[in-house]
Amino acid sequence: MQYFYDSQKQQIRLTDVKLFDIKKTFECGQCFRFDESSDGSFRGIAFGKEINLIQKDTEIILYPTTEDDYKNIWKKYFDIDRDYASINETLSYDKTLNDAISYGKGIRILNQDPWEALCSFIISQNNNIPRIKGIIGRLCENFGEKISETGYSFPTADILANLSVEDLAPLRCGFRAKYILDAAKKVSNKEVDLEKLKKLNADESREILTSIYGVGNKVADCTLLFGLGHINVCPVDVWIKKALTVLFNGSFPQCAENYAGIAQQYIFYYARETKLNI
DNA sequence: AGCCAGGGTCTGC
DNA sequence: GCAGACCATGGC
């Protein structure tokens, strides 16, 4: 994969793209702030920047952006440097995983902002994806910064830490409001120091994350996988639970141990798309 | 109407 | 340690 920057058009062009399908990546349930436009491109916001992506086969264009933002934000965000071919080969030793990969090939695990991942997956609990996106959209419109005509950044923990449950009423997020506020307070006052978590291992981080009211293992593991780069962590939701029972006799095979999070994402996509009617 | 959605907490055994 | 009630909201 190579990149070319066009300063005239303010765009990055990725060529010879392998194993990066933007539609699957944005629609596999790992992030909630990217939406498809009528022309098939995707627009979204991450790290306070709005960006569009359009893909044609092995070419992807990112716009508008600068070369610096590509190097400092998007290259990492889209997991460009990870060798998915090699990971897929390892996972393919298992026949069921191989089936799931042929279905979800091109999914990449995004490296999201840890606070956004934590807050988003608190909102995700006992909820469905369209409504999660709605609540997060209202959260950003109400408390984020306006960064374009229609775009708002994800609000910081510091901003949310000073709010009350009543302030969050416009979100219509129900019982989750008190969880969001506790997370915001603990992150803001460094009782949960997300920067420090980056230096800890998964078990140590999970222990700290679950000290937040409303954060259990599943939400913590989503934060570890999607926000803190632990690709060997496997969040278990109702779909994964069902898939593990039906497809794997309870747990993933040996070949998935180092990439359990990625295996999990293929299986999640596979299970939902096929509704597990296998 | 009742069930479900990328769950977690609290109570009672 | 584990099952069951409960939690808000909205789509089907």
Side-chain angles (χ1 to χ4, degrees):
Chain A
M1 188 162 2
Q2 277 186 293
Y3 85 89
F4 301 94
Y5 181 60
D6 185 329
S7 58
Q8 207 82 38
K9 298 180 178 173
Q10 295 269 300
Q11 68 183 29
I12 292 281
R13 187 164 56 96
L14 301 175
T15 61
D16 196 24
V17 170
K18 292 189 179 72
L19 296 170
F20 185 8
D21 182 315
I22 64 172
K23 187 174 172 64
K24 290 180 192 172
T25 298
F26 291 131
E27 294 183 344
C28 72
Q30 61 174 323
C31 73
F32 306 101
R33 299 213 68 204
F34 277 83
D35 292 298
E36 189 168 17
S37 305
S38 51
D39 63 355
S41 67
F42 281 79
R43 167 180 298 204
I45 294 169
F47 294 97
K49 308 268 185 177
E50 186 170 61
I51 194 162
N52 299 275
L53 291 87
I54 188 157
Q55 177 166 27
K56 198 170 182 194
D57 302 321
T58 61
E59 185 170 304
I60 294 174
I61 292 172
L62 294 74
Y63 62 100
T65 188
T66 64
E67 189 167 14
D68 280 348
D69 278 353
Y70 177 70
K71 288 181 183 168
N72 298 328
I73 300 177
W74 304 118
K75 189 167 178 237
K76 177 69 176 172
Y77 184 73
F78 292 114
D79 216 17
I80 297 299
D81 285 338
R82 197 182 301 283
D83 185 356
Y84 279 82
S86 148
I87 292 170
N88 290 352
E89 189 188 336
T90 301
L91 295 176
S92 293
Y93 281 101
D94 179 81
K95 186 194 177 310
T96 308
L97 281 178
N98 189 46
D99 292 344
I101 289 170
S102 59
Y103 215 87
K105 192 165 50 184
I107 290 175
R108 281 172 177 262
I109 301 293
L110 300 172
N111 292 289
Q112 303 182 50
D113 172 67
W115 162 246
E116 178 171 338
L118 170 61
C119 192
S120 296
F121 282 95
I122 286 173
I123 291 168
S124 80
Q125 67 179 262
N126 202 21
N127 212 341
N128 59 64
I129 291 175
R131 201 166 83 91
I132 295 164
K133 294 178 80 164
I135 293 170
I136 292 174
R138 293 190 287 278
L139 176 70
C140 296
E141 284 168 27
N142 279 279
F143 305 110
E145 281 181 42
K146 191 172 170 69
I147 61 167
S148 72
E149 277 188 40
T150 56
Y152 293 83
S153 66
F154 197 91
T156 63
D158 292 341
I159 290 284
L160 298 183
N162 293 312
L163 301 179
S164 65
V165 169
E166 298 79 67
D167 293 328
L168 296 187
L171 308 188
R172 303 197 299 280
C173 66
F175 59 88
R176 304 166 189 86
K178 53 187 183 289
Y179 300 158
I180 294 171
L181 295 180
D182 190 62
K185 282 174 188 151
K186 288 189 168 123
V187 169
S188 176
N189 70 17
K190 304 289 173 73
E191 211 172 308
V192 173
D193 188 336
L194 293 174
E195 285 307 309
K196 227 173 242 175
L197 291 195
K198 290 179 180 172
K199 298 167 190 155
L200 302 182
N201 66 38
D203 289 334
E204 293 166 335
S205 295
R206 184 184 299 105
E207 192 69 24
I208 294 170
L209 287 168
T210 51
S211 72
I212 297 167
Y213 183 40
V215 175
N217 285 336
K218 197 275 177 180
V219 171
D221 284 356
C222 285
T223 308
L224 292 172
L225 174 59
F226 301 124
L228 291 164
H230 291 280
I231 56 161
N232 59 332
V233 166
C234 176
V236 179
D237 76 311
V238 290
W239 286 98
I240 295 296
K241 200 172 294 180
K242 203 182 307 177
L244 284 175
T245 309
V246 175
L247 303 175
F248 295 99
N249 289 320
S251 62
F252 279 140
Q254 187 77 30
C255 67
E257 65 174 346
N258 292 330
Y259 310 110
I262 295 177
Q264 172 271 156
Q265 203 57 39
Y266 287 132
I267 292 294
F268 180 78
Y269 183 79
Y270 181 59
R272 283 170 50 91
E273 295 286 315
T274 64
K275 295 178 180 167
L276 228 55
N277 296 324
I278 306 159

